[in-house]
Amino acid sequence: LDPSYVGARLHLALILLEQGNTQGAREQYEEALTWNRNSLGAHEGLANILREAGEREKAEEHRKKAEALRYAR
């Protein structure tokens, strides 16, 4: 896996979520954001995970970033 290939990380995060590995998915979303701070999919996915984990402030930050990215297109 090329560490800079954000699309692969997003796909892997979805697979990990399907397997119930929320922590692994979170790590993939966070790593994707180190390579591309403007990854809509990573911000959306991380916002969902953080919200479910009760980390509401962090979740809201990522939700807002995702929303801004969606409308910037």
Side-chain angles (χ1 to χ4, degrees):
L1 175 65
D2 178 349
S4 67
Y5 186 30
V6 172
R9 290 193 176 280
L10 298 179
H11 188 72
L12 178 55
L14 291 175
I15 292 169
L16 291 168
L17 283 173
E18 288 176 4
Q19 295 174 345
N21 186 348
T22 304
Q23 182 59 38
R26 179 178 179 163
E27 291 169 5
Q28 291 304 313
Y29 287 133
E30 289 171 342
E31 186 65 23
L33 288 172
T34 66
W35 291 98
N36 180 359
R37 298 300 304 163
N38 293 319
S39 171
L40 174 60
H43 282 291
E44 288 178 330
L46 195 50
N48 291 334
I49 288 173
L50 292 167
R51 186 182 66 248
E52 299 243 343
E55 297 181 52
R56 301 208 187 286
E57 287 182 30
K58 287 182 182 179
E60 185 63 14
E61 290 174 24
H62 287 283
R63 188 200 63 76
K64 286 181 180 179
K65 180 66 175 178
E67 186 175 318
L69 290 168
R70 190 176 302 109
Y71 291 114
R73 290 180 171 193

